[in-house]
């Protein structure tokens, strides 16, 4: 009797989660797919989404820990100054988890999460180099009054230009998050704003306006702190979904405002060609 009832119980449980079970497979609607994988549901060859664990929360863990820490340092909480003591977030915590997640997003065919994980991984790696005084990156600009060269206008203007490029790239990604959900869009929108503010911090340092640079640095840190909280919220919802815990927490689905993507592009192309 118990064994005969088990499949029915599993079926009801899956229906509560939005899953649809057949004798051989379990499928999910596009809305749930986008919530767990942060990418529109499109036809894929193979069954990698059912064979491998969802790597997206792993990438979020690296992103959230690194960004939370960096944000608090920028705001100077507890008298913190400089990110050198926590340089590990730029080379291990953030990039390692993000790169692992990126590879498996690629294997599973999840295009946008793959791009996002790779983007943030290389940012942490490249920006982390600036936090290592042993590299003496400012040495070409060194003067007797500034032996490290890191206070020179040339050094700071160069970093400012670099962060402007990052701001425009993040804004490009932000445009595409408008097809996923509000929380993800807010993350990219606020990160974009923070990148532009941080670029101006370095421009102000180049001009010798240290007080204004300090205020803007704290503003950028506050934005990144909000970004971290949103990332943690997203990660929590995804982990709960993977653990089959029912939560009615909103993400602000935006995919409903766009055409359906759960279609075979080849079939659409053939239909359009016939028309």
């Amino acid at each position: 009797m118990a064994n005969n009832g088990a499949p029915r119980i599993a079926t009801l449980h899956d229906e509560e989660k939005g899953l649809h079970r057949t004798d051989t497979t379990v499928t999910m609607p596009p809305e749930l797919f986008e919530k767990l994988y942060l990418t529109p549901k499109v036809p894929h060859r193979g069954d990698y989404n059912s064979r491998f664990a969802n790597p997206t929360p792993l990438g979020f863990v690296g992103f959230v820990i690194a960004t939370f820490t960096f944000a608090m340092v920028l705001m100077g909480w507890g008298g913190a100054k400089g990110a050198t003591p926590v340089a590990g977030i730029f080379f291990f915590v953030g990039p390692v988890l993000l790169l692992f997640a990126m590879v498996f997003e690629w294997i599973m065919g999840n295009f946008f999460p793959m791009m996002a994980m790779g983007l943030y991984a290389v940012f942490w790696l490249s920006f982390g180099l600036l936090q290592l005084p042993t590299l003496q990156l400012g040495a070409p600009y060194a003067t007797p009054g500034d032996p490290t060269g890191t206070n020179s206008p040339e050094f700071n203007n160069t970093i400012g230009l670099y962060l402007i490029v990052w701001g425009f790239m993040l804004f490009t990604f932000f445009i595409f998050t408008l097809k996923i959900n509000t929380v993800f869009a807010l993350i990219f929108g606020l990160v974009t704003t923070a990148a532009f503010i941080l670029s101006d911090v370095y421009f102000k340092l180049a001009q010798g306006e240290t007080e204004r640079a300090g205020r803007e640095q704290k503003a950028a840190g506050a934005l990144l702190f909000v970004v971290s909280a949103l990332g943690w919220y997203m990660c929590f919802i995804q982990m709960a979904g993977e653990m089959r815990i029912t939560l009615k927490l909103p993400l602000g689905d935006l995919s409903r405002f766009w055409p359906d993507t759960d279609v075979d592009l080849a079939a659409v192309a053939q239909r359009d060609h016939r028309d």
Side-chain angles (χ1 to χ4, degrees), residues 33 37-40 42 44 102 104-118 173 176 180:
F33 187 92
Y37 293 95
L38 296 182
T39 188
V42 297
H44 291 302
M102 180 199 71
F104 282 98
E105 296 284 9
W106 170 68
I107 291 173
M108 297 171 70
N110 296 332
F111 170 75
F112 192 79
M114 175 200 71
M115 295 288 289
M117 302 296 178
F173 274 66
F176 294 107
I180 302 175

Side-chain angles (χ1 to χ4, degrees), residues 35-258:
K35 185 175 185 179
L36 294 179
Y37 293 95
L38 296 182
T39 188
K41 187 179 182 183
V42 297
H44 291 302
R45 293 185 182 276
D47 58 345
Y48 295 118
N49 286 331
S50 59
R51 291 172 57 190
F52 298 117
N54 179 7
T56 309
L58 179 65
F60 262 103
V61 168
F63 172 76
V64 167
I65 293 176
T67 310
F68 253 135
T69 307
F70 187 49
M72 290 186 287
V73 170
L74 287 178
M75 290 187 290
W77 284 12
K81 186 176 181 180
T84 303
V86 290
I89 65 174
F90 299 105
F91 300 102
F92 298 101
V93 178
V96 169
L97 295 183
L98 285 164
L99 288 173
F100 268 120
M102 180 199 71
V103 170
F104 282 98
E105 296 284 9
W106 170 68
I107 291 173
M108 297 171 70
N110 296 332
F111 170 75
F112 192 79
M114 175 200 71
M115 295 288 289
M117 302 296 178
L119 181 76
Y120 283 118
V122 296
F123 171 78
W124 288 124
L125 287 170
S126 62
F127 198 77
L129 293 178
L130 301 175
Q131 316 306 319
L132 298 179
T134 54
L135 295 180
Q136 299 181 351
L137 297 178
Y141 312 106
T143 63
D146 178 22
T148 64
T150 55
N151 294 322
S152 67
E154 297 85 354
F155 181 81
N156 287 287
N157 281 330
T158 302
I159 299 176
L161 291 173
Y162 173 67
L163 288 172
I164 284 181
V165 174
W166 270 102
F168 280 109
M169 180 54 66
L170 289 164
F171 179 74
T172 303
F173 274 66
F174 163 73
I175 293 173
F176 294 107
T177 61
L178 297 175
K179 194 175 183 180
I180 302 175
N181 62 59
T182 302
V183 174
F184 206 34
L186 282 173
I187 288 174
F188 271 88
L190 293 175
V191 167
T192 300
T193 306
F196 283 123
I197 293 176
L198 281 176
S199 71
D200 195 57
V201 168
Y202 284 94
F203 288 136
K204 291 298 183 291
L205 288 174
Q207 297 167 9
E209 299 182 30
T210 55
E211 290 187 6
R212 182 170 177 181
R215 292 194 297 269
E216 291 186 0
Q217 176 180 301
K218 290 183 178 181
L223 288 177
L224 291 177
F225 188 86
V226 175
V227 166
S228 307
L230 291 172
W232 177 85
Y233 177 76
M234 182 82 78
C235 181
F236 182 82
I237 290 176
Q238 289 183 321
M239 291 182 66
E242 292 294 343
M243 296 298 293
R244 300 298 186 266
I245 299 174
T246 302
L247 293 175
K248 300 297 183 181
L249 297 176
L251 287 176
D253 178 40
L254 299 175
S255 61
R256 56 195 174 95
F257 298 111
W258 296 80

